[in-house]
């Protein structure tokens, strides 16, 4: 996966510049986007996944301009927004099966195989019959990841996935992402927690007030601070 971002800016209609002239190259593996609240992480991610358009600048994914190839780009991407919530009254497996019905053309038998494979991958096979909205916070986050993986994306974009998780769940979550990135899924993860990035990401950028304040390896950032 090769993502080339040049001169990217996002100014909202109210005049607020949430992203300012960002240049970034993101390659295969796990990339961390670090920054405090309001730094522009969600704005960056929503723009990258084509939910909103940039005010200026360009994003190329595998050489394709995201504005000119939206459908192709969307098919490559799995996205887990920060405020992802679940439909009530669906069991955990039913929720994923519904996502599979929307995102794939698989027949029921193959969907169920896929659903259980994904539940296993995120450690939720044991709770497949539990109502999705009754899962713990950490489990919900893991179900969110499974949902984002349903279309076999090459790029997984996850917005602040570890916020509010206890340390044990946080480590579990990191391990799931590490395993995924070993399987050729490029991951972009935003967080305000340095530890989420230093233990898992090869490469990172730090955003501050919409600007790139640092880019390089997590070790390089820690040395600089
Ligand atoms: P982060 O994800 O790092 O917390 P955001 O991208 O959510 O940052 O927000 C960056 C800044 O842009 C914040 O000041 C936020 O209030 C503002 N912002 C986000 N979305 C909008 C919007 N739709 N309209 C106006 N301002 C916005
Ligand atoms: P985050 O927790 O990532 O900082 P925000 O609270 O900034 O997220 O944004 C949550 C939602 O509210 C987003 O959909 C964003 O577009 C919207 N939003 C945030 N700030 C503003 C704003 N100043 N004006 C309008 N919409 C905003």
């Amino acid at each position: 996966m090769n993502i080339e971002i040049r001169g990217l800016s996002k100014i909202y209609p109210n005049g607020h510049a949430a992203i300012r002239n960002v240049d970034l190259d993101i390659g295969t593996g796990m990339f961390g986007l670090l920054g405090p609240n309001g730094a522009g992480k969600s704005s960056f991610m929503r723009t990258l996944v084509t939910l909103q358009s940039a005010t200026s600048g360009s994003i190329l994914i595998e050489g394709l301009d995201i504005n000119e190839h939206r459908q192709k780009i969307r098919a490559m991407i799995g996205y887990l927004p920060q405020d992802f919530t679940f439909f009530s009254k669906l069991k955990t497996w039913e929720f994923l099966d519904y996502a599979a019905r929307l995102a794939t053309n698989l027949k029921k038998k193959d969907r169920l195989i896929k659903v259980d494979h994904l539940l296993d991958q995120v450690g939720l096979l044991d709770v497949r019959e539990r109502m999705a909205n009754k899962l713990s916070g950490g489990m919900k986050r893991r179900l969110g990841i499974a949902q984002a993986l349903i279309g076999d994306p090459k790029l997984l974009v996850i917005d602040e996935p570890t916020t509010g998780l206890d340390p044990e769940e946080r480590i579990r979550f990191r391990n799931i992402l590490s395993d995924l990135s070993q399987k050729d899924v490029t991951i972009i993860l935003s967080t305000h927690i340095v530890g989420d990035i230093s233990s898992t990401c090869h490469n990172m950028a730090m955003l501050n007030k919409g600007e790139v304040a640092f880019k390089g390896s997590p070790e390089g950032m820690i040395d600089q601070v």
Side-chain angles (χ1 to χ4, degrees):
M1 178 63 64
N2 175 31
I3 304 172
E4 194 185 302
I5 297 159
R6 293 291 177 271
L8 192 75
S9 295
K10 177 67 186 176
I11 302 168
Y12 286 110
N14 66 2
H16 185 81
I19 312 173
R20 299 158 193 251
N21 200 24
V22 164
D23 293 322
L24 276 181
D25 290 285
I26 299 175
T28 299
M30 207 158 143
F31 184 90
L33 188 64
L34 181 71
N37 249 339
K41 303 183 296 299
S42 297
S43 296
F44 176 84
M45 290 181 143
R46 287 197 298 265
T47 309
L48 180 67
V49 304
T50 76
L51 274 178
Q52 65 185 23
S53 49
T55 308
S56 56
S58 63
I59 302 179
L60 304 187
I61 298 183
E62 302 288 52
L64 301 174
D65 188 305
I66 66 164
N67 288 323
E68 287 159 27
H69 300 272
R70 286 199 174 192
Q71 293 313 319
K72 230 176 188 173
I73 296 294
R74 284 174 184 161
M76 288 184 207
I77 297 178
Y79 172 52
L80 180 60
Q82 192 180 0
D83 46 8
F84 188 73
T85 51
F86 295 91
F87 305 113
S88 57
K89 309 223 168 103
L90 283 183
K91 291 178 180 174
T92 297
W93 76 266
E94 287 172 330
F95 173 78
L96 264 194
D97 185 49
Y98 182 65
R101 271 189 266 172
L102 294 180
T104 73
N105 293 316
L106 294 175
K107 295 253 162 42
K108 180 154 193 186
K109 184 165 158 262
D110 293 323
R111 279 203 318 267
L112 294 185
I113 291 169
K114 173 152 212 150
V115 161
D116 277 358
H117 172 73
L118 284 172
L119 287 176
D120 191 32
Q121 214 172 348
V122 299
L124 293 177
L125 204 49
D126 290 350
V127 294
R128 72 191 293 288
E129 299 297 327
R130 204 180 290 180
M131 302 307 281
N133 59 350
K134 291 272 162 32
L135 297 175
S136 73
M139 286 174 169
K140 280 184 182 158
R141 229 58 77 80
R142 285 188 265 136
L143 182 55
I145 291 290
Q147 172 274 146
L149 289 171
I150 204 92
D152 298 318
K154 293 204 282 182
L155 172 65
L156 187 62
V157 178
I158 17 184
D159 201 352
E160 300 241 17
T162 65
T163 301
L165 297 187
D166 64 39
E168 196 181 324
E169 262 294 350
R170 184 166 284 145
I171 288 164
R172 186 158 193 180
F173 204 86
R174 285 177 196 164
N175 290 338
I176 289 170
L177 296 183
S178 291
D179 287 350
L180 282 171
S181 71
Q182 308 285 319
K183 289 178 187 144
D184 259 10
V185 181
T186 294
I187 299 175
I188 303 179
L189 161 91
S190 79
T191 181
H192 59 270
I193 299 162
V194 177
D196 283 346
I197 284 180
S198 56
S199 58
T200 47
C201 297
H202 308 290
N203 240 312
M204 64 162 290
M206 194 164 102
L207 274 187
N208 187 29
K209 294 184 180 147
E211 289 181 322
V212 175
F214 172 86
K215 53 187 162 186
S217 69
E219 296 77 24
M221 181 201 59
I222 289 161
D223 286 347
Q224 209 180 63
V225 173

